Amino acid sequence: MLGRSERESPAHAVLAARMAGWNDPVELLDLGTTADTLATVASIEALAAVVHLGHPEHPAPGLERALLEGAPSLIMTAAVAVPGQWVWVGAGATVGQVVIDEAGMRDCASVLRGLGVSPRLVPTRTSVEERIALAGEGGSLVIERPRVPAGFAELPDSAALAEGGPIWYGLLESRDDWPPFTTPAQVWLAFGPADDHLGSLQPTLAIIADAGLDLDHLRSQPSSEGPHVFFASFSCPTSDKLSVLVDALTDRGVAHRTLAVLPGESFVPGPDTLTPRWA
């Protein structure tokens, strides 16, 4: 069985499941909030969930945190890039509100801002009929292509929504251990140095470097238990190499947890880039 959170686009999640071969569903179970989704997957055997990743190399911060706060058995085990299905549609002249849901705002906000649009946000669970009523006469919708209602057609600026590139989704499972792999995989690792003091991160990073691994992502988060938590992402050649790393962390007293093992050596397109202007 496959599910998704209540805030996730049902059309994109289903497409991800089909493209990756995880299943061929007509629709996915609505498992509630993100916390509810993780808790349900952890408690029901043979239930997995399709989850928005951010990017395999640069995880969405909210997902990293939710995974670490969830049951220790939870882990992301696969990733797939899904072509964006968002379109901007209306029925005739469009002078009213632009209605969009939470997943659409996440994926399309920057494009809509560039078009000068200030949309009305609704919960993803809101039915198409309710959205049409909220938009009112002359209103329009940003919605997934398979869900465009009868009588609505794409507006001239709709094509701009496709310029954001694909959307990355992953498979969330509950497992006793990470899946073994003999070809490269992207690993998400959370860890906390044994002592939280100035420079305490350096010895842990040295363990990762000694294992011959190069970080693609590193982010810190305050912890309620004292030491900071660090979230990292890196490419790992084999599960044996990952075992060597976690054994070394254990030997040094560094708390750790593997949050994802995503098979693949290259995840194209890569994460968003920036052009820095240094002082």
Side-chain angles (χ1 to χ4, degrees):
M1 296 185 294
L2 282 178
R4 60 170 177 84
S5 78
E6 65 185 5
R7 302 181 65 182
E8 192 48 68
S9 159
H12 285 95
V14 165
L15 182 57
R18 291 174 177 168
M19 287 180 59
W22 301 330
N23 207 326
D24 189 19
V26 175
E27 60 181 331
L28 303 184
L29 300 172
D30 183 337
L31 301 179
T33 66
T34 299
D36 289 341
T37 298
L38 270 64
T40 304
V41 170
S43 62
I44 298 179
E45 187 176 355
L47 175 66
V50 179
V51 178
H52 178 260
L53 291 181
H55 188 276
E57 296 175 15
H58 285 194
L63 178 57
E64 287 181 315
R65 177 169 181 161
L67 286 169
L68 189 58
E69 291 180 332
S73 63
L74 294 170
I75 185 171
M76 306 299 305
T77 58
V80 62
V82 175
Q85 301 294 299
W86 299 110
V87 290
W88 187 9
V89 299
T94 53
V95 294
Q97 297 189 88
V98 181
V99 175
I100 189 171
D101 65 23
E102 297 154 299
M105 183 67 82
R106 178 197 68 206
D107 298 336
C108 304
S110 61
V111 175
L112 293 174
R113 281 196 298 268
L115 296 173
V117 176
S118 297
R120 176 171 179 174
L121 182 64
V122 299
T124 301
R125 284 178 167 175
T126 306
S127 70
V128 175
E129 292 75 18
E130 291 175 302
R131 299 181 196 205
I132 294 172
L134 288 169
E137 186 176 356
S140 58
L141 310 176
V142 173
I143 197 167
E144 304 94 322
R145 189 179 301 277
R147 303 175 70 201
V148 173
F152 280 65
E154 285 195 58
L155 301 177
D157 286 328
S158 176
L161 299 182
E163 296 175 0
I167 306 164
W168 286 93
Y169 286 89
L171 185 67
L172 173 69
E173 296 186 274
S174 179
R175 299 175 57 101
D176 294 332
D177 199 356
W178 61 73
F181 56 100
T182 57
T183 57
Q186 193 73 21
V187 173
W188 299 359
L189 181 73
F191 60 89
D195 299 306
D196 195 18
H197 57 79
L198 184 64
S200 61
L201 175 60
Q202 185 174 351
T204 304
L205 293 181
I207 297 172
I208 297 174
D210 290 343
L213 299 168
D214 187 21
L215 297 184
D216 296 311
H217 162 78
L218 180 64
R219 184 178 72 84
S220 69
Q221 175 83 43
S223 169
S224 61
E225 297 183 355
H228 276 72
V229 170
F230 294 89
F231 295 95
S233 169
F234 53 87
S235 181
C236 189
T238 66
S239 53
D240 288 342
K241 176 77 89 171
L242 180 57
S243 295
V244 170
L245 172 62
V246 299
D247 287 346
L249 293 172
T250 300
D251 290 344
R252 302 288 184 88
V254 178
H256 58 82
R257 184 169 151 200
T258 302
L259 303 179
V261 172
L262 309 175
E265 188 169 8
S266 177
F267 298 92
V268 179
D272 290 340
T273 58
L274 59 81
T275 303
R277 299 179 66 181
W278 305 111

